[in-house]
Amino acid sequence: MQGYSNSTKDGKDSNRFVLPVDSEHKATEFRLYSLAVPHMRAFHLSWISFFSCFVSTFAAPPLLPIIRDNLNLTATDIGNAGVASVSGAVFARVAMGTACDLLGPRLASATLSLITAPAVYCAAVANSATSFLLVRFFAGFSLATFVSTQFWMSSMFSPPVVGVANGVAAGWGNLGGGATQLLMPLLHSLICHLGATPFTAWRISFFVPATIQVVTAFSVLAFGQDLPDGNYAQLQKAGDKPRDDFSEVLYHGVTNYRGWILALTYGYCFGVELTVDNIIAEYFFDRFDLKLHTAGLIAASFGLANIVSRPAGGLLSDEMAKRFGMRGRLWSLWLVQTLGGILCILLGRVASLGASIGVMIGFSVFVQAACGLTFGVVPFVSRRSLGVISGMTGGGGNVGAVITQLIFFKGSRYSKETGITLMGIMILACTLPIWLIYFPQWGGMLFGPSKKENATEEGYYMSEWNKKEREKGLHLASLKFADNSKNERGRRLNSADTPPSVQTPPHA
């Protein structure tokens, strides 16, 4: 049985937590198989909820060969539906980020899951290309639960382990994209075996992912907790968490150029993953003349790689930060995503089944690891507008998927193999802006930290609060985060002292 820890900088109320915590009561350790309240319970609730939404959103692609015959869908209809499935979440993710900042990740996540579940049920009554498109569009909104997942992990885990926490939570959630490739064909076969016709069986199959989504949403509401010290509403009522101003939260998020660069680059790691989830089963089914179940198994291996690849990206980000600080996080992100782009180009060029499977698996590992590496950087872009930055980045993933599918996989302009090759070239081009990300207190890929006096963690995060807000003490949480993020200096941890004028006050 795990004992209680008092490993916190201020020692205040630390005996309430099973895991060791920092001065913000964020866990400084990540224990994968623990259910410790509140940190690890939040972890497991978040990835399971996101997993269920991923299964629902991509329940249709494994059954497309059946659905297209039943609804008389053309290649253009299928392409439009694929675009619709990821386009709705573009705005939903940005809105989700703001909702997390203002209402908390627990309520935001559960509400979205419950709102979108009816769309998944409605797949059973789709009878035209238009109704099929609408079902996929509204079901796809649920992918915005990714933002609440990442926000929740960043609120529960300290900077030295936030990369791996974000990586595992999102990676295991993304497993839904692979699991649905296995689940839906098996459900279809089982229902057919019980006496239903193929055209009826695919409709009944959708009741399973929809019901799972509802159950997980209620579980988040019942058992989750927003922050280590309680839920937003509870803390605000007690005066322990001041209500922030929506316009200020939004302003400091959208005016931080680092968030826009991460949104672009995430569009060509996670956006590519979404695109492949939509096309890969049909690609193997048509190009290599495989059975539906066999194509589904192969396609599932792409999504199932998330069980190790995205967590590995988060772990790599944290390990590089220990040695090289934030510069290590940025360098590893650029390198891994670039290698993913090269493998994507190669996937579109190989012509044999065995080689395609091998390259696809390698490609999936790198592109998904890049997703984990991206969210190893995101928590440090802004303390005050963490949800907005997370939403912008997550929305960028969906924008990348929409643009890629519209250009390369809509209609018959390009063969799927040519589209995959061109997508790889886009990955290489859109990864280059990572070179432009620079933190004054830590540096960037090309240059070290600034030598200016205010180039400190405190100076960076305090800049999000004006004088009047600081006089009210609204900035104190940012000061704690600044102190806890000094590990991002890497091996130069003790080489840059914090000026006395901005040091964290003892009571903060």
Side-chain angles (χ1 to χ4, degrees):
M1 181 176 177
Q2 292 171 310
Y4 285 85
S5 168
N6 59 0
S7 301
T8 179
K9 290 187 176 182
D10 57 12
K12 181 181 179 182
D13 297 329
S14 59
N15 61 345
R16 293 188 292 112
F17 303 104
V18 174
L19 300 182
V21 296
D22 63 17
S23 60
E24 296 179 277
H25 294 164
K26 294 180 180 180
T28 58
E29 292 183 7
F30 180 77
R31 300 177 185 173
L32 184 60
Y33 300 109
S34 170
L35 291 174
V37 179
H39 306 91
M40 295 312 301
R41 179 183 288 182
F43 162 75
H44 288 293
L45 287 171
S46 66
W47 80 258
I48 291 171
S49 176
F50 183 42
F51 177 95
S52 69
C53 292
F54 228 106
V55 170
S56 295
T57 299
F58 293 100
L63 301 180
L64 272 177
I66 304 296
I67 297 173
R68 70 186 180 188
D69 291 342
N70 187 193
L71 302 182
N72 297 315
L73 303 178
T74 65
T76 299
D77 293 332
I78 293 172
N80 287 337
V83 170
S85 70
V86 294
S87 59
V90 172
F91 303 105
R93 286 190 169 200
V94 176
M96 174 63 84
T98 306
C100 287
D101 278 323
L102 300 177
L103 302 175
R106 168 181 156 272
L107 184 60
S109 173
T111 300
L112 183 62
S113 292
L114 292 173
I115 289 174
T116 54
V120 186
Y121 283 115
C122 285
V125 295
N127 58 7
S128 66
T130 300
S131 57
F132 180 66
L133 181 148
L134 290 174
V135 162
R136 297 216 63 197
F137 175 73
F138 287 111
F141 274 63
S142 67
L143 289 181
T145 52
F146 164 78
V147 175
S148 57
T149 294
Q150 300 297 273
F151 184 97
W152 210 353
M153 296 303 93
S154 298
S155 300
M156 286 289 182
F157 293 92
S158 191
V161 295
V162 72
V164 68
N166 273 333
V168 179
W172 284 16
N174 284 357
L175 280 175
T180 196
Q181 302 281 357
L182 295 173
L183 175 65
M184 297 308 288
L186 286 174
L187 282 174
H188 183 265
S189 297
L190 176 62
I191 295 168
C192 285
H193 182 73
L194 294 175
T197 66
F199 286 173
T200 300
W202 76 260
R203 297 174 183 277
I204 298 173
S205 300
F206 277 84
F207 279 84
V208 174
T211 302
I212 293 173
Q213 184 172 321
V214 170
V215 171
T216 57
F218 280 116
S219 297
V220 168
L221 281 175
F223 304 113
Q225 182 173 302
D226 290 319
L227 298 171
D229 295 318
N231 292 320
Y232 271 39
Q234 166 195 349
L235 294 173
Q236 289 169 346
K237 185 177 181 179
D240 294 329
K241 187 183 190 308
R243 293 183 183 273
D244 210 338
D245 183 82
F246 168 75
S247 61
E248 290 294 324
V249 170
L250 186 63
Y251 172 79
H252 288 289
V254 300
T255 57
N256 194 317
Y257 81 93
R258 301 165 191 84
W260 291 105
I261 291 178
L262 291 171
L264 171 64
T265 59
Y266 197 62
Y268 284 90
C269 54
F270 184 67
V272 165
E273 184 179 349
L274 291 179
T275 299
V276 174
D277 281 333
N278 265 328
I279 68 167
I280 198 67
E282 189 182 15
Y283 168 71
F284 277 101
F285 180 85
D286 291 335
R287 188 174 188 196
F288 298 105
D289 195 26
L290 302 176
K291 294 181 179 179
L292 179 64
H293 182 63
T294 304
L297 285 173
I298 295 171
S301 64
F302 178 86
L304 291 175
N306 270 297
I307 196 169
V308 294
S309 54
R310 184 156 185 159
L315 180 61
L316 175 61
S317 184
D318 287 341
E319 291 301 315
M320 291 295 285
K322 289 177 184 177
R323 293 174 60 85
F324 306 108
M326 177 56 68
R327 301 182 73 187
R329 292 188 192 271
L330 295 172
W331 267 105
S332 53
L333 170 57
W334 174 78
L335 180 61
V336 168
Q337 189 156 322
T338 296
L339 291 173
I342 293 171
L343 286 170
C344 185
I345 293 172
L346 185 60
L347 177 61
R349 305 287 292 178
V350 295
S352 70
L353 177 60
S356 293
I357 294 172
V359 173
M360 181 198 70
I361 292 173
F363 165 52
S364 69
V365 169
F366 279 94
V367 77
Q368 291 159 7
C371 296
L373 283 153
T374 300
F375 274 85
V377 176
V378 165
F380 301 97
V381 173
S382 171
R383 168 62 176 80
R384 186 175 189 179
S385 305
L386 171 62
V388 175
I389 296 296
S390 298
M392 287 167 56
T393 305
N398 286 76
V399 170
V402 170
I403 292 173
T404 302
Q405 290 181 70
L406 283 174
I407 296 174
F408 303 128
F409 301 105
K410 183 176 180 293
S412 54
R413 181 180 181 185
Y414 298 107
S415 66
K416 282 197 170 55
E417 51 267 34
T418 299
I420 290 171
T421 296
L422 294 174
M423 180 169 66
I425 295 172
M426 288 283 284
I427 294 173
L428 297 181
C430 293
T431 302
L432 291 174
I434 295 173
W435 290 67
L436 301 177
I437 295 178
Y438 183 81
F439 291 89
Q441 71 276 32
W442 300 317
M445 287 180 64
L446 296 178
F447 303 103
S450 171
K451 297 185 182 299
K452 294 181 179 179
E453 185 178 349
N454 65 341
T456 63
E457 291 80 4
E458 286 82 358
Y460 180 83
Y461 294 111
M462 284 275 285
S463 67
E464 297 182 318
W465 303 91
N466 61 40
K467 184 178 179 180
K468 290 184 178 180
E469 290 170 332
R470 291 198 295 270
E471 288 174 351
K472 295 178 181 178
L474 303 181
H475 67 298
L476 295 180
S478 290
L479 280 177
K480 289 183 179 180
F481 181 79
D483 187 48
N484 292 323
S485 68
K486 288 178 181 177
N487 292 297
E488 295 307 303
R489 299 176 183 181
R491 287 177 171 171
R492 54 178 287 276
L493 179 61
N494 298 316
S495 66
D497 295 329
T498 300
S501 61
V502 293
Q503 283 181 347
T504 307
H507 64 277

